[in-house]
């Protein structure tokens, strides 16, 4: 019987899953890690802490025929290419310390070049400007570059070097850096020159399924971005298949037929590599909301909610229908706005408003931002009448029903809490010529849309979004 172990190294935790060939699943270990905020707008992780958590999870999961690894995507760092020692903290995807550098590139009219080659807008979200910031601001990184021993990469490449002795990244992860040519799947000379990133410091790009070296638990046969792993885990294979994962942020991906044409995409959508298996590369459209789980964490810390159960149900009509709107732009606005100057807005409070109203409006704000992405997606690739979602906030019945009502689509909630790790396991199994079936009960409750004034809701919300811009 084939046994697969997968590691989901995410923004807030590291998790290990043990999956048998028949699809039976066991969570072997889950460990949360610290979030560091040294300055406003900066978000960092300790690379050694994350690596130790990955190693602990692998040990807890035990031996496997194959191991899969999913990573945070755009989060990146610098390390010594010889010793593997980190030379910097991990700069997390939420971090916006490179906003000034991005604005300078915008002013120099470099956005069209990046969009044409990488398929991405100029934004601090992506790794390229973070790499250059490390060279310019961390002396140990500059010294390693001068001595020819610098490695710059996303977290997957760092983990792989320390786990197997060999740094590498995959096509899907590389497509999130702004340094890979989307059409060729290789590091782009012009993009590296534009961002000031030495190409020799980047790890090799490999297919998402293949040989990534031997770990203590077994051979690593798949490595991929967490959201692409979740897309695979949801069973999305055909054009128009779409999933949304509600974690720290909301991540919506839809499979496309071929390479999307980035300059012509509507609504600020991003083309991305879904995965590369052998010589076949699958592509997807990507749209996201920066603050979902992070917004709920804020509400808990601020005393707006006592615990996560406070977001489960509400007795009053929708807050937006009552004129109360919360735009959760704590890290700015992503697709379709791409506005880091935006700040959170809570508008429409009355003397009768209470904390329950704020919680309700916060959940609705997340759903309504998501509706903007779905609308843009549907213009590019027709999406189905029912879409699959997973993640923490999907456990709120109110949120799921409101999302169905405001989007006009059925919302199918996955019964697999660890769908990202499950997708990574499925891909790892492919690496040894095996397949893992999805559990029969993977799709749980489906929330059907009701007859509601959704256009009025969306219009009111867009009006509130217009008031967030330019504050920072």
């Amino acid at each position: 019987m084939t046994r697969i172990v997968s590691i989901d190294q995410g923004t807030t935790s590291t998790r290990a899953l043990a999956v048998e060939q028949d699809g039976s699943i066991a969570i072997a270990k889950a460990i949360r890690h610290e979030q560091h905020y040294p300055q406003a707008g900066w978000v960092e992780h300790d690379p050694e802490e994350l690596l130790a958590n990955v190693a602990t999870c692998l040990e807890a999961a035990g031996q496997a025929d194959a191991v899969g690894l999913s990573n945070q995507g755009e989060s990146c760092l610098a390390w010594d290419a010889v010793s593997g020692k980190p030379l910097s903290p991990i700069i997390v995807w939420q971090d916006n310390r490179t906003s000034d550098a991005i604005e300078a590139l915008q002013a120099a009219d470099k956005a069209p070049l990046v969009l044409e080659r990488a398929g991405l807008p100029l934004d601090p979200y992506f790794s390229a400007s973070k790499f250059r910031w490390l060279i310019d601001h961390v002396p140990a990184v500059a010294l390693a570059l001068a001595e020819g021993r610098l490695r710059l990469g996303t977290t997957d490449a760092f983990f792989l070097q320390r786990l197997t002795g060999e740094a590498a990244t995959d096509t899907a992860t590389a497509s999130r850096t702004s340094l890979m040519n989307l059409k060729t799947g290789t590091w782009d000379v012009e993009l590296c020159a534009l961002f000031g990133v030495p190409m020799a410091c980047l790890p090799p790009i490999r297919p998402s399924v293949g040989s990534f070296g031997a770990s203590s638990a077994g051979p690593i046969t798949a490595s991929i971005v967490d959201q692409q792993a979740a897309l695979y885990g949801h069973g999305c294979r055909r054009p128009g298949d779409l999933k949304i994962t509600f974690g720290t942020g909301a991540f919506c991906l839809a499979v496309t037929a071929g390479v999307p044409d980035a300059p012509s995409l509507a609504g600020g959508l991003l083309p991305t590599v879904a995965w590369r298996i052998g010589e076949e590369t699958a592509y997807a459209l990507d749209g996201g909301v920066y603050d979902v789980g992070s917004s709920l964490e804020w509400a808990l810390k601020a005393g707006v909610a006592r615990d996560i159960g406070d977001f489960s149900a509400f007795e009053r009509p929708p807050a937006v229908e009552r004129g109360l709107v919360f735009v959760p732009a704590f890290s700015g606005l992503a697709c379709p706005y791409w506005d880091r100057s935006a700040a959170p807005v809570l508008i429409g409070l009355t003397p009768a408003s209470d904390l329950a109203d704020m919680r309700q409006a916060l959940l609705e704000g997340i759903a309504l931002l998501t509706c903007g992405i779905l609308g843009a997606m549907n213009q590019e690739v027709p999406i189905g009448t029912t879409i699959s979602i997973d993640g923490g906030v999907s456990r709120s019945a109110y949120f799921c029903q409101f999302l169905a009502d405001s989007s006009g689509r059925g919302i199918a909630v996955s019964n697999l809490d660890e769908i990202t790790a499950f997708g990574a396991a499925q891909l790892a199994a492919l690496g040894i010529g095996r397949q893992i079936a999805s559990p029969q009960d993977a799709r749980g409750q489906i929330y059907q849309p009701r007859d509601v004034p959704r256009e009025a809701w969306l219009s009111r919300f867009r009006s509130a979004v217009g008031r967030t811009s330019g504050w920072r």
Side-chain angles (χ1 to χ4, degrees):
M1 179 69 75
T2 302
R3 186 169 192 271
I4 309 295
V5 166
S6 63
I7 300 294
D8 174 19
Q9 202 300 296
T11 308
T12 59
S13 68
T14 305
R15 311 176 79 82
L17 207 66
V19 184
E20 308 298 342
Q21 191 170 350
D22 63 2
S24 59
I25 301 169
I27 301 173
K29 190 76 173 178
I31 312 173
R32 291 182 66 87
H33 56 260
E34 292 290 327
Q35 311 288 316
H36 302 282
Y37 306 95
Q39 295 186 33
W42 292 28
V43 189
E44 296 179 353
H45 294 155
D46 179 346
E48 292 289 3
E49 180 187 10
L50 266 60
L51 179 68
N53 290 351
V54 169
T56 299
C57 285
L58 279 173
E59 183 179 2
Q63 289 298 302
D65 297 289
V67 176
L69 174 67
S70 70
N71 67 81
Q72 295 182 33
E74 301 77 11
S75 300
C76 59
L77 70 158
W79 67 95
D80 190 305
V82 178
S83 69
K85 179 182 177 181
L87 301 172
S88 75
I90 293 169
I91 303 181
V92 181
W93 56 272
Q94 298 162 301
D95 190 286
N96 66 3
R97 73 185 66 189
T98 62
S99 294
D100 289 346
I102 292 297
E103 288 176 8
L105 290 172
Q106 291 274 19
D109 198 28
K110 298 301 182 182
L113 172 65
V114 179
L115 190 65
E116 173 63 30
R117 289 179 172 267
L120 301 175
L122 281 171
D123 193 273
Y125 179 41
F126 307 107
S127 312
S129 60
K130 297 178 172 71
F131 289 145
R132 187 64 224 183
W133 188 94
L134 289 170
I135 293 172
D136 292 339
H137 294 88
V138 181
V141 175
L143 178 61
L145 175 61
E147 295 179 349
R149 52 183 177 82
L150 175 63
R151 180 70 73 199
L152 297 167
T154 40
T155 55
D156 57 326
F158 170 69
F159 297 143
L160 287 168
Q161 176 157 350
R162 293 289 292 271
L163 293 172
T164 72
E166 194 173 353
T169 192
D170 84 296
T171 313
T173 309
S175 74
R176 311 300 298 170
T177 62
S178 291
L179 297 176
M180 190 193 87
N181 188 300
L182 190 65
K183 295 175 182 176
T184 66
T186 60
W187 299 123
D188 188 283
V189 174
E190 286 195 47
L191 290 174
C192 288
L194 175 66
F195 285 99
V197 177
M199 190 182 296
C201 296
L202 299 172
I205 301 174
R206 296 179 181 171
S208 309
V209 174
S211 176
F212 287 92
S215 74
S216 59
I220 298 178
T221 58
S223 184
I224 194 168
V225 184
D226 50 8
Q227 299 311 317
Q228 277 81 333
L231 185 68
Y232 200 89
H234 273 283
C236 298
R237 307 285 189 273
R238 300 166 300 177
D241 285 353
L242 179 148
K243 72 88 191 175
I244 311 172
T245 297
F246 292 98
T248 303
F251 303 93
C252 178
L253 273 76
V255 179
T256 63
V259 187
D261 180 34
S264 68
L265 291 177
L269 294 172
L270 308 179
T272 190
V273 171
W275 45 75
R276 182 181 166 202
I277 302 173
E279 296 302 317
E280 296 295 322
T281 302
Y283 294 88
L285 291 177
D286 171 32
V289 177
Y290 285 135
D291 296 292
V292 177
S294 53
S295 293
L296 302 190
E297 294 254 352
W298 166 81
L300 291 168
K301 286 189 287 188
V304 176
R306 294 163 300 179
D307 55 50
I308 205 69
D310 280 346
F311 292 96
S312 297
F314 299 91
E315 298 178 356
R316 300 164 187 170
V320 66
E321 198 165 289
R322 294 181 283 123
L324 181 62
V325 174
F326 197 146
V327 183
F330 291 94
S331 303
L333 293 171
C335 176
Y337 308 100
W338 294 109
D339 183 3
R340 287 284 190 162
S341 74
V345 163
L346 175 60
I347 190 168
L349 287 169
T350 72
S353 300
D354 58 18
L355 294 180
D357 290 320
M358 292 176 63
R359 294 194 296 271
Q360 188 176 10
L362 176 58
L363 278 186
E364 292 175 9
I366 294 168
L368 291 165
L369 283 174
T370 304
C371 287
I373 300 168
L374 293 174
M377 288 272 187
N378 200 50
Q379 293 182 46
E380 298 299 330
V381 53
I383 58 180
T385 57
T386 300
I387 58 179
S388 299
I389 71 170
D390 69 288
V393 78
S394 69
R395 300 307 171 202
S396 164
Y398 182 83
F399 174 81
C400 294
Q401 186 60 61
F402 185 85
L403 181 59
D405 291 343
S406 55
S407 68
R409 286 183 167 78
I411 300 299
V413 182
S414 173
N415 275 338
L416 285 175
D417 288 333
E418 304 299 331
I419 201 160
T420 297
F422 184 75
Q426 287 183 305
L427 290 166
L430 290 180
I432 55 172
R434 308 292 175 84
Q435 290 197 11
I436 296 175
S438 295
Q440 293 293 324
D441 61 348
R443 176 174 280 193
Q445 183 174 353
I446 299 178
Y447 294 81
Q448 297 294 351
R450 300 173 297 190
D451 184 17
V452 298
R454 64 178 59 92
E455 291 304 323
W457 294 357
L458 292 167
S459 176
R460 178 167 285 168
F461 186 74
R462 284 192 293 266
S463 177
V465 169
R467 299 166 189 259
T468 66
S469 186
W471 186 260
R472 299 187 200 277

